[in-house]
Amino acid sequence: MLYALGVIIFALGLLISIALHEVGHMVPAKKFGVKVTQYMVGFGPTLWSRKRGDTEYGLKAIPLGGYIRMIGMVPPRADGKVSRWPRRLASSIEDFRQVSRAEVEPGDGPREFYRLTPGKKIIVMLGGPTMNLVIYLVLTVCLLGILGTPHDDATTTVGTVSQCVFPANSAEAAKGTCASPNSPAVKAGLQPADKIVSLAGVSITSWDQAVKIIEASPNKALPLVVQRAGKDVSLTITPVENLKYANATGTKTKEAGFIGVSPTNHHYYKAVSPAAIPGQIVDQISTGARALASYPEKIGSLWNTVFHNKPRDINGAIGVVGIGRLGGDLAQSNQLDVQDKVFSLIGLLASVNLLLFFFNLLPLLPLDGGHVAGALVEGAKRGRARLKARRAPAFGPDGEPAPARPQIFVDTAQMLPVMYAVASVLILLTLLTFYADIVKPVNLFGG
């Protein structure tokens, strides 16, 4: 039940994100006078739709994306212009152009998308990714400022008691088992849930305080008082000298006193101060950019998982199905409390929106970034043409005014083969991640 609830909650959040992404395109398009004929969330058969004005609003059966349809995305074919593509591809481009322009009705000329200035085209195409960025920022600011971030502070209560003494970097230490218990904690009679009251005659108020005394006292018998079941119990413990890790990452070691215990942790959430939130957001955005840059490597790992039966990388590529399953796993986990689940689900949705922002900015058609790149090229061509026009004489040899400079448009229809190639790669990756998410899903909690 909780698993299904987690999947549904995440799916609804993702659907809302998709819907708002398309709103980000539609609102500026209509503001600039472009005729928008469809606003759809999902793909495939239409489940529900309603037409208002020029636009049909609806929901489709497959909630894996969305789109808006603007008339005149590509310009009409220029008279006398010959395509640089081979004849078969050139024919496909013209077929695509006819289908794309089929919705253009008489009188719609000024409302076609391709007639917008390059600046307005960029605003329309960046509207969707910008909406994903806004969703990420809103979710993250609310998460950090209201719920806060998780903290785990060590208490003075014993959590676990090690049975053995092994060097920290040894293979035996990873196994954690031995023929006969020999750790100082076991010999002294320490038990989980014992609260350290004093050690070596010093009153203990923090775990770090106890660690410092232990590390500085190898082979010395130390009086120890613990609180057990509400009563003080006096013990004697003798730390042994052992190889321990000297930092949290396990890259440095040191010889120090060791008794073989770990503390219980106080788990809580603390709201982040408004002044610290921007720094955390910048760190997350940098991490997201690095994650996208390493995506080709992640695809390689996914390929090995699918075709070479390698273990699934928990930090590797994942699809919509896999992310939905993560939402279900988080919701049903008995290792997380309610706050942990809320934090994880909202953080997951925020991260997806951040990655959608970066992904849609890639300068590849049919992604939004590809249209932005086309608008930038168009702007550069128009700027160069204006410079040439300024240098050209205002009148011809016959004294007549020079002909008006024709409007310059970038014919994105000519990029159809590139669009097909990129779309094919995206479909292949979608199928690959879909298969992996079903057959070998990412498991956050092991097993």
Side-chain angles (χ1 to χ4, degrees):
M1 180 64 182
L2 287 177
Y3 181 89
L5 182 62
V7 172
I8 291 172
I9 290 174
F10 182 81
L12 285 175
L14 187 58
L15 205 61
I16 292 171
S17 298
I18 292 170
L20 290 176
H21 175 99
E22 299 307 327
V23 168
H25 289 308
M26 183 179 66
V27 170
K30 289 193 169 189
K31 184 72 174 178
F32 296 144
V34 177
K35 183 177 179 180
V36 180
T37 58
Q38 279 191 321
Y39 168 90
M40 291 289 170
V41 177
F43 298 110
T46 301
L47 301 177
W48 170 89
S49 71
R50 178 174 296 176
K51 190 167 185 178
R52 291 186 178 179
D54 296 323
T55 308
E56 178 190 10
Y57 300 86
L59 291 173
K60 290 185 173 286
I62 305 173
L64 296 179
Y67 65 92
I68 65 168
R69 191 185 299 277
M70 299 178 285
I71 68 168
M73 285 293 292
V74 298
R77 181 179 180 181
D79 293 336
K81 187 172 183 179
V82 179
S83 176
R84 296 180 179 179
W85 294 102
R87 182 179 299 176
R88 184 172 295 181
L89 284 176
S91 177
S92 298
I93 289 170
E94 294 311 315
D95 292 340
F96 168 74
R97 191 191 307 278
Q98 290 182 9
V99 172
S100 177
R101 296 189 56 78
E103 289 184 306
V104 181
E105 299 175 350
D108 282 342
R111 304 185 65 187
E112 296 183 66
F113 174 80
Y114 86 91
R115 293 183 180 273
L116 293 179
T117 63
K120 290 181 178 179
K121 288 180 181 178
I122 291 173
I123 291 173
V124 171
M125 299 317 300
L126 287 182
T130 300
M131 188 64 77
N132 289 121
L133 180 62
V134 169
I135 295 170
Y136 158 75
L137 290 174
V138 170
L139 291 177
T140 303
V141 169
C142 290
L143 196 63
L144 297 178
I146 298 175
L147 181 61
T149 54
H151 294 264
D152 289 284
D153 293 346
T155 68
T156 57
T157 300
V158 175
T160 60
V161 176
S162 299
Q163 300 294 303
C164 321
V165 177
F166 295 120
N169 57 1
S170 65
E172 292 83 359
K175 298 177 183 178
T177 57
C178 52
S180 58
N182 63 350
S183 73
V186 170
K187 293 179 179 179
L190 266 176
Q191 299 177 10
D194 284 350
K195 181 179 180 181
I196 299 176
V197 177
S198 67
L199 178 63
V202 178
S203 179
I204 300 300
T205 58
S206 71
W207 186 261
D208 287 342
Q209 182 186 13
V211 169
K212 289 180 180 179
I213 295 174
I214 293 167
E215 290 186 342
S217 309
N219 304 316
K220 294 180 181 178
L222 304 176
L224 171 65
V225 177
V226 298
Q227 190 178 79
R228 181 181 299 167
K231 298 180 179 179
D232 286 350
V233 177
S234 296
L235 306 171
T236 299
I237 192 163
T238 305
V240 296
E241 189 171 23
N242 193 28
L243 186 69
K244 300 178 63 176
Y245 287 123
N247 57 7
T249 59
T251 57
K252 295 181 180 180
T253 58
K254 63 181 178 181
E255 293 283 347
F258 173 83
I259 63 172
V261 293
S262 63
T264 58
N265 290 318
H266 172 49
H267 183 67
Y268 65 99
Y269 280 81
K270 182 179 180 181
V272 178
S273 67
I277 290 177
Q280 293 209 19
I281 289 176
V282 169
D283 290 341
Q284 290 181 13
I285 291 176
S286 299
T287 301
R290 288 194 297 271
L292 185 62
S294 64
Y295 195 73
E297 180 182 343
K298 296 178 186 293
I299 293 301
S301 173
L302 186 67
W303 183 274
N304 289 331
T305 296
V306 173
F307 294 103
H308 301 290
N309 202 31
K310 296 293 180 65
R312 186 76 184 268
D313 181 5
I314 193 172
N315 296 313
I318 189 170
V320 174
V321 173
I323 296 174
R325 295 187 69 160
L326 289 184
D329 290 339
L330 290 169
Q332 76 169 359
S333 172
N334 56 13
Q335 299 180 33
L336 305 175
D337 60 22
V338 174
Q339 284 185 310
D340 290 329
K341 293 176 180 180
V342 171
F343 181 87
S344 299
L345 286 170
I346 295 178
L348 182 63
L349 185 59
S351 298
V352 169
N353 274 279
L354 181 61
L355 289 177
L356 285 175
F357 166 73
F358 283 121
F359 181 72
N360 278 287
L361 290 183
L362 293 176
L364 299 170
L365 289 170
L367 300 177
D368 298 332
H371 291 283
V372 171
L376 291 172
V377 171
E378 185 176 291
K381 287 185 175 183
R382 290 188 180 189
R384 185 173 60 183
R386 282 194 296 268
L387 288 175
K388 288 183 178 180
R390 289 176 184 175
R391 296 171 184 170
F395 296 93
D398 56 359
E400 294 294 325
R405 176 173 54 85
Q407 194 73 46
I408 295 175
F409 301 105
V410 169
D411 187 4
T412 52
Q414 294 296 329
M415 297 301 293
L416 181 66
V418 177
M419 284 191 277
Y420 280 165
V422 174
S424 298
V425 171
L426 293 178
I427 291 172
L428 177 62
L429 294 180
T430 299
L431 293 175
L432 197 64
T433 54
F434 179 82
Y435 176 82
D437 290 341
I438 295 296
V439 177
K440 290 187 176 182
V442 172
N443 193 329
L444 291 176
F445 304 103

